[in-house]
Amino acid sequence: MNQSPSPPPPGPPQVLVFAASDPSAGAGIQADLLTLASLGCHPLTALTAITVQDTVGIEGVQPVAAELLEQQARTVLEDMPVAAFKVGLLGSVENVLTVAEIVSDYPEAPLVLDPVLASGRGDNLSSEEIISAIREMLLPQTTLLTPNAPEARRLAESDDDAGEPTLDVCAERLIAMGAQYVLITGTHENTPEVVNTLYGSAGVIRRDRWERLPGSYHGSGCTLAAAIAGCLAGGASVEEAVRDAQDYTWQTLKHGFHGGMGQLIPDRFFWAREDGEGDPNNTQSQPDEH
């Protein structure tokens, strides 16, 4: 008796990344690919810009034409279901508007926005026009925004500010602009520990403190945002995704390596090189939560 073939097992959750390339694979779309694959997702990509960079710094950025960016994303979205979006460096105002238009057609998919405004060395990567477009077009569609402290201040700055706004005020403003949640990371702050704070419409949701590791890292922000997107794609709540992605990211930094002469590169597959460590979500360290 002939039996009908069994349906194939469900595949991994698919995450579409809008980001720029990084030839060193420390940051950018390559870092997102490594992170999402490590967490059991299938990453899809729409390239926004081509960069010339290494672990020391960025030498050049060439944005992809908005028409080509749209073709990349629309083609894959018509073929493959997406469980989440992750957005990084966009490179031009036209690309901001293009991505905003594309994701508006998929309001059910969570969107994690990593506002890449400068490189780890401090190279400026986003003009005021790009930042304005992000505020107006992308923040209202953002599930979770993941700026570091300088990015949060730059995104939230106001002409009425007499001095530098506090991070709590920045988060309040960014949520008023439309982001559902804001996770401000403290890697750039002068504190003994790295303090990452998750905000919602009612204020602080969780504040996690992590051991500040020595050295600086190329692509830590990309890793965290991509990991959150991967966790959301797998069905986690925002708070669960933020908690688990922080733990994963800290482990990648703890196991970081010198791939070149500049910043350390996070090891996104640290668990594959540790005896008895077969699950990237089963890490040992946990943050102090307040």
Side-chain angles (χ1 to χ4, degrees), residues 82-105:
V82 168
F85 293 106
K86 189 267 181 179
V87 180
L89 176 67
L90 293 172
S92 70
V93 171
E94 293 78 12
N95 284 353
V96 175
L97 301 179
T98 295
V99 171
E101 182 178 355
I102 291 169
V103 299
S104 69
D105 292 336

Side-chain angles (χ1 to χ4, degrees), residues 125-156:
L125 298 174
S126 294
S127 66
E128 291 304 317
E129 291 76 16
I130 290 175
I131 292 174
S132 178
I134 288 173
R135 290 189 190 114
E136 294 178 18
M137 305 303 297
L138 269 181
L139 283 188
Q141 302 186 70
T142 296
T143 306
L144 176 67
L145 179 70
T146 63
N148 57 38
E151 290 168 339
R153 293 187 176 103
R154 191 173 173 194
L155 281 168

